[in-house]
Amino acid sequence: MPEPTHRIRIAPGRDYEVIVGPALLPTCGTRIAALGLGKNCALITDSNVAPLYADTVRSSLEAAGITVQQIVVPAGESSKSMNVTDDICRQMIRGGHG
């Protein structure tokens, strides 16, 4: 049975689809590769989430032929800053995403 999808509207004419269901992370690479967005990605996560899910997501992406640059930021509100955003952008540029 396919997972239920939901359309999220962020502004008039700007919707995106969200897939909801159990055990989606091991298949995310196949789903993302099917979108045809390229063969490189940045996996951006925080230090709380990374130990729980990053290896599963990274493995799934790599199995689908996608090269992964993992960027881990410190967990917490202090990471929601322009300085951290700047650091992420610089890491992505160094990783070939610019």
Side-chain angles (χ1 to χ4, degrees):
M1 172 183 246
E3 294 83 10
T5 60
H6 302 276
R7 281 228 139 322
I8 306 297
R9 175 157 291 171
I10 56 174
R14 293 188 61 206
D15 299 353
Y16 64 93
E17 189 174 279
V18 176
I19 301 170
V20 179
L24 291 172
L25 294 182
T27 63
C28 71
T30 303
R31 294 169 185 275
I32 292 168
L35 297 173
L37 300 174
K39 294 291 185 182
N40 298 305
C41 77
L43 173 58
I44 303 169
T45 184
D46 75 23
S47 58
N48 286 340
V49 175
L52 300 172
Y53 304 109
D55 287 345
T56 301
V57 172
R58 180 186 202 99
S59 294
S60 181
L61 291 164
E62 290 174 343
I66 299 172
T67 302
V68 180
Q69 176 189 13
Q70 184 171 315
I71 301 171
V72 180
V73 299
E77 291 298 312
S78 63
S79 290
K80 298 175 184 175
S81 70
M82 290 306 295
N83 286 339
V84 172
T85 301
D86 180 67
D87 184 54
I88 291 169
C89 289
R90 290 176 188 279
Q91 287 185 60
M92 289 177 66
I93 290 167
R94 282 192 302 272
H97 299 283

